[in-house]
Amino acid sequence: LATTAKSAEFFSIGTGGPTGVYFQVGNAICKMVAMIQSADHGRKSGTDKAYRCSAPSTGGSTYNIGQIMEGELQFGVAQSDWQYHAYNGTKPDKVKPFKGLRAVFSAHPEPFQILVGKKSKIKDWDSMKGKKVNIGNPGSGQRGTFEVLMEAHGVDTSYFSAASELGSSEQSGALCDGKIDAYGYTVGVPNAGVSQATDGCGASIINLNTDAVKKLVADKPFYEWKTIPKGTYKTSKKDIKTFAVMATVVTSADVSEDVVYAVVKAVFENLDDFKGQHAAFANLDPKKMIKYGLSAPLHPGAVKYYKEKGLM
Ligand code: GLU
């Protein structure tokens, strides 16, 4: 019974809005950490620490990175573009430069999606001029990426008649109610929030393949083209072409090797379970997860596991 006196170590994974995919990623990880702990119980007790994991809803990517830097969160989910900019200090006005940022693995692709209301008459980027547009809450990945998109097109929020800052769980309701004409969201496919607007009130996702977007994809290592296949939502009658980033799990160099090792072990040893938790995770491939979309160095606790498993 002496072995039950293990000290519990708590850690948190920052996610995104409650209707997003990050929230599912974070909570799936915590579930796997709990599973592996109970599987180990009795065998390794006394040597293993007991980990307690929580994955609260947060403002999103850049909020998570900032909180990891402050030591308030130990892990977070973040878009690959914001991981890159935080580590390299290349967009200090949007995400604080953070050399201590470490990559853990990447998860699902996240196409940047502009959702437009049924009666908005918006069909492409140019027809967004003068419309009421939700550019996303500060701290979210889509907010920063939307700003990059505006800069790339040589405009700012004055291009729209109104620019709101609603969070991801409020924007579909606002679109359906006609309070806004469009919103931008970087999120895995499919997503419940997006289907609330598409299947729910006839909103659709526009193609984003302007010359400015082509230049972004050509110039930046963290952007790629993505097709949202026709039939994904009721209103996606044709394939939709837009640019995408990756959802990645990040941590700090200050987080212990043991904790990061425990997290990657839990995820990689339960990968089939993870894939089954959400359609956006269906194509997860361990070889890609340890490399793709990662620009900060891998945390040593992750490297230790990947080497043991022959992935590196
Ligand atoms: N990509 C969004 C962000 O960085 C979050 C998407 C989600 O919640 O799944 O804030």
Side-chain angles (χ1 to χ4, degrees):
L1 275 182
T3 53
T4 57
K6 289 188 291 186
S7 62
E9 190 167 330
F10 290 83
F11 64 87
S12 298
I13 307 171
T15 64
T19 55
V21 183
Y22 286 10
F23 191 65
Q24 314 246 1
V25 172
N27 283 284
I29 295 173
C30 286
K31 185 185 149 197
M32 292 182 283
V33 168
M35 272 166 52
I36 202 159
Q37 296 258 306
S38 55
D40 277 352
H41 188 79
R43 275 191 285 135
K44 294 187 191 162
S45 51
T47 55
D48 269 6
K49 271 219 182 68
Y51 292 112
R52 300 280 176 271
C53 171
S54 72
S57 164
T58 73
S61 284
T62 54
Y63 173 89
N64 294 339
I65 293 171
Q67 292 296 101
I68 292 170
M69 188 171 168
E70 300 295 323
E72 296 291 333
L73 289 171
Q74 289 66 50
F75 295 88
V77 193
Q79 291 179 199
S80 50
D81 49 348
W82 299 113
Q83 180 189 141
Y84 179 98
H85 290 307
Y87 181 71
N88 293 293
T90 34
K91 287 257 184 247
D93 54 325
K94 304 196 202 311
V95 66
K96 278 203 189 125
F98 179 25
K99 269 289 164 213
L101 187 65
R102 292 293 176 269
V104 183
F105 59 83
S106 62
H108 57 285
E110 298 189 276
F112 184 87
Q113 297 157 64
I114 292 187
L115 271 284
V116 303
K118 196 178 177 181
K119 294 183 187 143
S120 68
K121 299 208 174 77
I122 301 173
K123 32 180 211 331
D124 52 19
W125 174 266
D126 289 339
S127 50
M128 284 177 59
K129 188 172 182 198
K131 300 290 181 178
K132 289 175 287 183
V133 179
N134 189 57
I135 59 171
N137 62 290
S140 70
Q142 52 271 6
R143 170 57 176 273
T145 306
F146 205 117
E147 287 175 354
V148 169
L149 196 62
M150 286 190 286
E151 281 163 31
H153 288 90
V155 302
D156 59 20
T157 51
S158 66
Y159 187 64
F160 309 121
S161 62
S164 54
E165 300 187 311
L166 299 174
S168 60
S169 58
E170 306 162 299
Q171 58 199 7
S172 289
L175 191 67
C176 290
D177 292 346
K179 292 191 177 110
I180 55 172
D181 299 309
Y183 69 75
Y185 194 16
T186 332
V187 71
V189 178
N191 163 250
V194 170
S195 80
Q196 187 194 339
T198 51
D199 303 349
C201 72
S204 48
I205 308 168
I206 61 171
N207 286 303
L208 264 181
N209 52 2
T210 58
D211 288 345
V213 173
K214 285 179 187 145
K215 189 166 169 14
L216 283 177
V217 176
D219 290 353
K220 304 293 179 195
F222 39 79
Y223 296 135
E224 62 175 355
W225 291 110
K226 201 96 222 160
T227 297
I228 300 171
K230 66 176 177 203
T232 301
Y233 300 106
K234 272 189 202 152
T235 56
S236 22
K237 301 265 187 311
K238 289 183 186 155
D239 285 355
I240 299 152
K241 189 174 181 184
T242 185
F243 69 106
V245 293
M246 291 297 289
T248 71
V249 174
V250 294
T251 186
S252 161
D254 288 344
V255 171
S256 80
E257 221 174 285
D258 288 356
V259 180
V260 179
Y261 181 89
V263 166
V264 295
K265 180 176 168 160
V267 170
F268 282 75
E269 289 187 3
N270 292 289
L271 208 54
D272 287 335
D273 184 63
F274 192 22
K275 288 183 190 180
Q277 306 257 329
H278 195 285
F281 309 152
N283 298 315
L284 292 182
D285 168 0
K287 287 224 151 52
K288 286 189 185 152
M289 290 169 76
I290 68 167
K291 199 158 63 193
Y292 205 57
L294 307 180
S295 36
L298 281 168
H299 189 285
V303 171
K304 184 179 165 201
Y305 181 82
Y306 301 150
K307 284 197 170 148
E308 270 175 27
K309 292 290 149 181
L311 289 165
M312 278 177 86

